[in-house]
């Protein structure tokens, strides 16, 4: 049995910068420029009017850019923690293969044993969770970090510790 | 919060009769008839010599027959328990979409929120787990049922309770 702490990391909005994808798809496919200020405190489905039209396609998740500063920190975390990537992917069947390929592209050191695609994260156990959604963090028994994303910017983090960036994650979790 | 107990059910070897698929593929694609007696106590990879050649294809998991007696019992369990299907699917990327479609075909009452595809089941928490592999049951904190399949037939079930069929599951778990 590993003595390392089990760290659960979310994909969308934590490792993958999905907001950049939303901006890009609204602009390129619908000639709609969304102002970043309009995202503050508003659920993604409300601020991006065509989201349901492109989120099911074959490249939305595959082409998503890495969250700034995530790559190096994530590789170091993988050496210090029993690391799992847990993504609520089941709502979007087309995303499953894309997300697997995305992880292999960006983090070739991650093994398939470390990947979980689920509908609800209520069944996940671990010591530490990093996620941008309260609906995931609220059910978790361990220490929880709320990764700052526009949709939750005005909310009280409650028992969760808010982190603004991957450098803040590094400060909090890397020895 | 639900007061119902959370029940975690495996797919391959519990809901899906993968041994029937192994027999069929060995025979149809390689003209090899495997004797069911040869499966007793032997890992699948050892008894089915061409397994690695067809398990990655586009239909192995999609066409798998239902385990005998599973359908009605499973539907009843879904009404009495907080039911999740957890499958170690990540080793076979081609299986992800197949397994999702298989579940939709056979159990249309199952919601995407109830499905988990993982590499390792070490991260799964719940009250009861039904699985045919020790590697999954051994890490689980709750009550564990070992679903009898040829590969584990000679092994001591240890702390796990052995069930031979879906009617035995019904006896154990349905009110």
């Amino acid at each position: 049995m590993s003595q390392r702490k089990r760290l659960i990391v979310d994909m969308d909005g934590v490792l993958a910068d999905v907001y950049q994808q939303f901006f890009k798809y609204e602009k390129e496919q619908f000639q709609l420029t969304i102002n970043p200020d309009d995202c503050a405190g508003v659920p993604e489905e409300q601020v991006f009017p065509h989201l349901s039209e492109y989120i099911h396609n074959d490249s939305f998740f595959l082409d998503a850019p890495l969250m700034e500063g995530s790559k190096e920190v994530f590789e170091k975390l993988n050496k210090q923690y029993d690391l799992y990537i847990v993504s609520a992917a089941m709502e979007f069947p087309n995303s499953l293969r894309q997300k697997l390929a995305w992880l292999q592209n960006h983090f070739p050191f991650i093994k398939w044993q470390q990947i979980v695609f689920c509908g609800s994260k209520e069944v996940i156990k671990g010591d530490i969770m990093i996620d941008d959604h309260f609906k995931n963090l609220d059910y978790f028994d361990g220490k929880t970090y709320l990764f700052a994303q526009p949709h939750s910017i005005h909310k009280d983090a409650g028992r969760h510790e808010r982190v603004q960036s991957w450098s803040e994650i590094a400060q909090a979790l890397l020895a």
Side-chain angles (χ1 to χ4, degrees), chain A:
Chain A
M1 291 286 289
S2 167
Q3 293 305 306
R4 297 190 301 177
K5 285 192 173 175
R6 185 181 298 149
L7 172 61
I8 309 291
V9 180
D10 179 32
M11 282 182 76
D12 302 332
V14 175
L15 285 171
D17 193 345
V18 287
Y19 272 87
Q20 294 307 320
Q21 287 292 82
F22 292 138
F23 291 131
K24 179 184 153 189
Y25 273 80
E26 292 288 342
K27 189 164 190 178
E28 289 183 359
Q29 296 200 355
F30 301 96
Q31 295 72 52
L32 184 63
T33 303
I34 309 277
N35 187 328
D37 292 341
D38 294 340
C39 302
V42 186
E44 290 113 314
E45 314 82 66
Q46 285 179 34
V47 78
F48 300 104
H50 306 94
L51 183 151
S52 65
E53 295 179 50
Y54 47 74
I55 205 164
H56 295 281
N57 76 16
D58 289 331
S59 60
F60 181 85
F61 292 100
L62 186 65
D63 299 340
L66 272 178
M67 193 69 74
E68 189 186 342
S70 63
K71 197 174 177 73
E72 283 182 31
V73 177
F74 195 64
E75 188 157 8
K76 287 178 184 167
L77 288 171
N78 190 48
K79 291 177 180 157
Q80 292 188 26
Y81 291 86
D82 183 24
L83 187 69
Y84 286 85
I85 294 149
V86 179
S87 178
M90 217 55 72
E91 187 177 0
F92 310 110
N94 260 355
S95 78
L96 297 169
R97 282 302 298 266
Q98 293 181 55
K99 282 172 178 272
L100 200 52
W102 189 90
L103 289 170
Q104 289 163 340
N105 291 343
H106 291 292
F107 306 112
F109 51 86
I110 292 291
K111 302 184 181 78
W112 56 261
Q113 288 91 338
Q114 296 173 270
I115 302 170
V116 181
F117 294 155
C118 59
S120 160
K121 297 188 186 179
E122 289 182 49
V123 295
I124 302 299
K125 67 178 176 188
D127 301 301
I128 305 165
M129 176 180 268
I130 306 170
D131 208 291
D132 67 315
H133 279 287
F134 287 91
K135 68 181 175 189
N136 299 324
L137 297 169
D138 286 347
Y139 287 104
F140 193 70
D141 294 329
K143 166 77 179 169
T144 43
Y145 290 93
L146 177 70
F147 193 86
Q149 284 284 271
H151 60 79
S152 67
I153 211 159
H154 297 318
K155 287 183 183 156
D156 179 356
R159 74 172 171 97
H160 315 306
E161 185 171 337
R162 197 186 290 269
V163 281
Q164 301 288 344
S165 65
W166 274 89
S167 65
E168 284 195 18
I169 291 177
Q171 285 172 30
L173 294 178
L174 288 176

